[in-house]
Amino acid sequence: MKCSNIVTQMQMLLLSTYFLFSPERRTANMAASGGRTVGSFLWKCGNCCFNFNTVSSNLTRQVLSRQLCVSAVLHRKNLAAAGPEKFSEEFIKKQVEEFNIGKRHLANMMGEDPETFTQGDINRSIAYLFPSGLFDKKAKPLMKHPDEVFPKQRAVQWGADGRPFHFLFYTGKQSYYSLMHDTFTKALAVEKHQDRLRGKDLFTQDAKQISLVGSRWLLKEELEELLVETISEHDYARFIQLMERLLSLPYCSVEEDFVQRYRRQLEIQSSKQQVQPLQYDQHGVAYSTGDGRRKTAMGTVLLRDSGSGSISINGTNYVHYFPVLQDREQLMFPLHFMEVLGRFDMQCSVSGGGHSSQAGALRLAISRAMLSFLSEGQVETMRQAGLLTPDPRIKERKKPGQEGARRKFTWKKR
Amino acid sequence: MAASVTGLLKPWTPRVLLVRWSRYNPYYLEPEPRKEVYHIPETELTPEQKEERELKSVRPIKAATNSVTSSVFNDPVLSKFVNMMMKDGDKIIAKGIITQTLENMKRKQVEKYHKAPEVKKAEIECNPYVIFHQALENCKPVIGLASIQKGGKFYQVPIPLTDNRRRFLAMKWMITECRDNKHRRTLMYEKLSQELLAAFSKEGNVVKRKHELHKMAESNRAYAHYRWW
């Protein structure tokens, strides 16, 4: 009810402003009275609108009730000077509570269990209850945890007397510079440790090194999130340089925990393979299917665990379909690699492309179909042999001003 | 974070089209199609090999090409030679010529073997693959020449060659020699087998050409300091 009041009030406000800005009626009296009415309307609206996180009502009231001839430029400047919106801790806490209660209400509305209601379920329910035909993702209704909606902000950095807490506050990027100082202190500590060992004659070049293989440095965005402040590309590069310098010392394993805090593990690639479960036909023989593509050729394969080694492609024997040795070798590659040459029966169908790309498509299809019969370690070996990656190479396009993809037109001197 | 890492895994076209670029992101690693590498147990790996294995487990791998298999007959040097022989993308004909060459070489060597006295039989090499590799080794130049401009004139300066360049030169000389300098009625496989057998015993035009290059490099020794890399 209150919302509809606000909507009509806003509509009236817009009409009145239009009315006020029309040239024929611009007199001082009209202006003054108009200003007051606008101001009073907006003051009422302002109090209601405060819950929608708009700019503070006082400011809007001052701006609009002050004058009508304020140009748009000044208007913009005043809003910008207010700075990014600050949310206090209690406000965020209240939002979190409201979100949790709202989540439970939503689960009840949808008839699902409030305890196991995930974010995905919330998104689905909101899309169902508020269907939106808008294209812009940011314009669609959303219900997310307040931590994702409100940007992370820092608590006030200075005390009651106005004196900042951190000694690097006036650098502007206190967390970043304090991190750099910490890293350098650690590097000095490692060097001191090394000197002590040298003094006692216990220094060896082959001390245990930190293993860096399965991990990567934090990205710039992740570092910004960690420090809760923005840093430039140059700053990020300097940070990585300093960490690399720390890692170049032989005894850097002393500070391994510190270094690992700024590295993220890379995920194991073989876990990304989708392995279909094995299917059994009416005679109890295991079978699986796979498909593959290469250039324009598409192939499908039905692999059966019957024990002969027959291969039929589009109804014909593979020796007749692929008279070239190289193509037959490509078909045998995955089977020979896993040493299961005579075990499977294959029924393949392939279309498109030339003989080489058809063979490549079938090779990929066979490798994918074989995955259901193999263990994890074998899947990883097949991936490292290059059998499971679809070949992305395609015919390069012809460019304008040239005869082909690379060939240029005949050069004529005149 | 996830966005930038998944961006490395897709087939890409670089924003600025370079002359030598590939559809794979440089993040991808080369595949290893040989079976024996994967049968080495954990205990016998050196630390470098262990690190390489760990790296391979987190990085995406390129697809193996058409001409590569895990079979014992797959020879990377021979594949390179076939590609260099190929004209207009006709690999079937090039591969056919190479197969005929190897067969021809084997026939000649076996004939020689049967005609030789007992003492000499052990020295005659019959394996055509061994002959091919040894002949190519004998044709590889050790040092090459580069044309360097100094003070308005171009000097032929002796420079070291990389392994790939040496192999390329040996193959190129072999092919051009067979195409140009032989009687036109003989077939390519006959010409190649003659030249390879000659190179195997360090005779023939290709080996002569290699020696001439070495002599030129030796004679231009004085300009060696013009090289700055």
Side-chain angles (χ1 to χ4, degrees):
Chain A
M1 325 70 61
K2 221 173 177 182
C3 301
S4 54
N5 267 353
I6 288 162
V7 167
T8 44
Q9 277 174 357
M10 292 297 270
Q11 282 173 348
M12 284 183 65
L13 167 64
L14 284 166
L15 281 172
S16 54
T17 44
Y18 177 79
F19 178 73
L20 289 160
F21 278 105
S22 60
E24 311 94 75
R25 309 217 186 205
R26 205 191 292 170
T27 57
N29 289 341
M30 285 297 291
S33 57
R36 257 179 279 129
T37 35
V38 163
S40 58
F41 267 129
L42 209 55
W43 186 54
K44 283 184 203 153
C45 292
N47 276 331
C48 313
C49 287
F50 185 65
N51 294 330
F52 293 84
N53 296 333
T54 49
V55 183
S56 70
S57 57
N58 288 333
L59 196 54
T60 358
R61 185 177 46 147
Q62 275 167 17
V63 162
L64 278 173
S65 60
R66 201 187 340 181
Q67 101 17 81
L68 304 172
C69 349
V70 154
S71 70
V73 172
L74 273 178
H75 191 241
R76 273 204 298 276
K77 201 153 98 177
N78 275 333
L79 285 178
E85 309 164 66
K86 305 243 186 290
F87 309 111
S88 55
E89 288 228 16
E90 314 93 58
F91 177 74
I92 300 274
K93 263 195 229 154
K94 202 162 78 87
Q95 293 291 316
V96 173
E97 281 162 25
E98 282 183 10
F99 172 78
N100 286 326
I101 295 172
K103 196 167 99 163
R104 297 185 76 90
H105 279 309
L106 189 60
N108 282 330
M109 269 196 267
M110 298 298 288
E112 298 194 24
D113 182 18
E115 303 299 329
T116 56
F117 206 54
T118 60
Q119 183 61 44
D121 294 330
I122 297 177
N123 294 342
R124 221 179 0 98
S125 323
I126 296 287
Y128 172 71
L129 291 169
F130 301 99
S132 159
L134 301 171
F135 292 114
D136 193 358
K137 293 243 162 60
K138 290 186 199 170
K140 292 184 188 163
L142 70 83
M143 183 167 163
K144 286 216 157 96
H145 191 85
D147 281 342
E148 292 167 41
V149 172
F150 299 105
K152 251 195 186 170
Q153 283 169 346
R154 288 202 288 161
V156 161
Q157 306 287 322
W158 52 86
D161 54 348
R163 188 159 174 271
F165 298 131
H166 200 281
F167 74 104
L168 288 173
F169 174 78
Y170 287 110
T171 60
K173 300 179 238 185
Q174 63 182 50
S175 329
Y176 168 73
Y177 282 112
S178 73
L179 173 63
M180 296 289 274
H181 276 291
D182 286 336
T183 319
F184 191 64
T185 324
K186 302 248 187 246
L188 288 175
V190 169
E191 281 180 3
K192 204 165 164 192
H193 176 73
Q194 277 172 200
D195 289 336
R196 253 183 285 129
L197 287 177
R198 255 184 269 251
K200 294 190 216 161
D201 256 340
L202 294 167
F203 182 81
T204 45
Q205 278 296 340
D206 27 287
K208 185 175 156 290
Q209 295 295 316
I210 307 181
S211 162
L212 299 170
V213 178
S215 54
R216 58 169 177 88
W217 287 117
L218 231 49
L219 294 174
K220 179 166 164 276
E221 289 78 24
E222 290 170 338
L223 189 61
E224 283 181 350
E225 226 182 329
L226 198 69
L227 299 174
V228 196
E229 62 188 20
T230 45
I231 52 177
S232 73
E233 296 243 353
H234 181 72
D235 292 334
Y236 176 69
R238 288 298 284 235
F239 170 65
I240 300 292
Q241 213 177 19
L242 188 57
M243 292 299 255
E244 293 286 343
R245 191 168 143 198
L246 174 60
L247 287 177
S248 69
L249 301 167
Y251 275 84
C252 55
S253 48
V254 177
E255 301 295 345
E256 185 165 348
D257 302 321
F258 177 75
V259 170
Q260 292 292 3
R261 242 189 287 160
Y262 298 99
R263 284 192 82 93
R264 291 277 176 270
Q265 285 299 112
L266 290 166
E267 46 177 62
I268 306 280
Q269 291 293 328
S270 61
S271 54
K272 288 193 189 164
Q273 295 294 339
Q274 287 154 340
V275 181
Q276 308 293 337
L278 213 49
Q279 291 155 306
Y280 293 88
D281 71 355
Q282 66 231 89
H283 301 291
V285 175
Y287 73 91
S288 70
T289 52
D291 46 62
R293 271 197 278 198
R294 169 95 214 274
K295 279 193 197 172
T296 359
M298 302 213 291
T300 45
V301 140
L302 181 80
L303 214 62
R304 255 186 290 141
D305 196 0
S306 35
S308 61
S310 72
I311 307 179
S312 77
I313 307 181
N314 287 356
T316 53
N317 194 11
Y318 73 110
V319 184
H320 301 309
Y321 194 82
F322 284 132
V324 183
L325 175 68
Q326 184 182 281
D327 302 334
R328 292 197 298 274
E329 272 184 338
Q330 286 298 294
L331 286 187
M332 298 303 159
F333 184 7
L335 305 173
H336 177 261
F337 187 76
M338 300 316 308
E339 289 156 12
V340 289
L341 271 174
R343 185 170 144 193
F344 295 109
D345 247 355
M346 292 196 266
Q347 281 167 354
C348 325
S349 65
V350 69
S351 64
H355 65 96
S356 226
S357 38
Q358 283 187 343
L362 281 179
R363 184 186 89 183
L364 183 59
I366 294 170
S367 318
R368 282 183 178 163
M370 264 174 68
L371 287 182
S372 330
F373 293 93
L374 301 174
S375 68
E376 281 267 346
Q378 287 173 317
V379 166
E380 175 62 21
T381 5
M382 276 192 76
R383 187 190 73 92
Q384 287 193 11
L387 284 167
L388 296 175
T389 327
D391 204 328
R393 300 179 293 170
I394 49 169
K395 190 162 169 168
E396 201 174 318
R397 68 160 279 201
K398 174 196 172 324
K399 284 107 196 171
Q402 294 177 1
E403 194 176 316
R406 298 283 169 118
R407 173 163 163 78
K408 322 282 184 280
F409 288 123
T410 320
W411 181 76
K412 295 209 183 86
K413 198 158 180 174
R414 50 186 75 82
Chain B
M1 166 204 95
S4 60
V5 174
T6 43
L8 293 172
L9 300 173
K10 293 183 198 148
W12 82 325
T13 317
R15 218 178 278 168
V16 183
L17 280 178
L18 315 154
V19 176
R20 295 171 125 225
W21 58 282
S22 91
R23 284 279 285 176
Y24 293 108
N25 201 293
Y27 196 54
Y28 280 67
L29 298 174
E30 295 295 326
E32 179 56 74
R34 292 172 302 160
K35 273 198 286 191
E36 319 80 60
V37 176
Y38 300 104
H39 289 319
I40 308 172
E42 283 280 335
T43 44
E44 286 173 33
L45 293 173
T46 61
E48 286 92 25
Q49 278 177 324
K50 281 201 186 116
E51 224 183 89
E52 209 186 295
R53 272 213 187 168
E54 274 183 45
L55 183 67
K56 281 204 160 184
S57 69
V58 285
R59 289 276 198 101
I61 311 266
K62 297 185 188 178
T65 33
N66 280 16
S67 42
V68 154
T69 50
S70 57
S71 90
V72 288
F73 303 109
N74 181 41
D75 190 2
V77 180
L78 205 60
S79 309
K80 211 27 137 207
F81 196 71
V82 168
N83 286 342
M84 286 186 67
M85 286 268 302
M86 179 166 61
K87 277 188 177 177
D88 296 329
D90 210 338
K91 181 113 73 166
I92 305 174
I93 295 184
K95 184 83 180 137
I97 294 174
I98 299 294
T99 328
Q100 285 170 319
T101 312
L102 294 170
E103 193 197 326
N104 202 332
M105 282 203 294
K106 175 112 192 190
R107 278 187 193 275
K108 288 188 185 164
Q109 288 296 92
V110 170
E111 205 184 312
K112 219 164 107 179
Y113 181 85
H114 286 307
K115 286 190 187 158
E118 285 300 326
V119 192
K120 298 278 177 70
K121 278 201 182 184
E123 295 162 2
I124 298 179
E125 179 59 59
C126 283
N127 187 350
Y129 293 97
V130 171
I131 299 176
F132 175 77
H133 285 116
Q134 188 55 47
L136 219 57
E137 270 298 322
N138 294 348
C139 294
K140 282 187 189 176
V142 171
I143 194 167
L145 290 173
S147 193
I148 293 184
Q149 189 185 23
K150 189 117 176 158
K153 270 175 42 171
F154 286 90
Y155 298 96
Q156 293 294 316
V157 175
I159 54 162
L161 297 172
T162 57
D163 271 332
N164 279 346
R165 179 78 184 150
R166 294 170 61 210
R167 192 183 61 179
F168 171 77
L169 281 174
M171 290 187 192
K172 183 110 185 136
W173 289 342
M174 183 66 74
I175 293 169
T176 41
E177 159 70 35
C178 291
R179 279 182 187 160
D180 305 335
N181 295 353
K182 300 277 191 202
H183 185 69
R184 69 170 183 91
R185 291 282 285 193
T186 37
L187 296 173
M188 186 64 182
Y189 71 85
E190 180 60 44
K191 297 187 245 193
L192 251 185
S193 52
Q194 281 172 7
E195 200 50 53
L196 281 169
L197 284 169
F200 179 67
S201 34
K202 298 202 178 141
E203 304 148 352
N205 286 348
V206 190
V207 182
K208 199 170 96 177
R209 187 167 169 180
K210 172 187 94 155
H211 287 319
E212 274 169 18
L213 179 66
H214 286 173
K215 275 185 219 152
M216 275 283 286
E218 182 62 36
S219 67
N220 281 6
R221 252 178 86 151
Y223 303 126
H225 66 286
Y226 283 173
R227 179 174 65 99
W228 63 84
W229 63 89

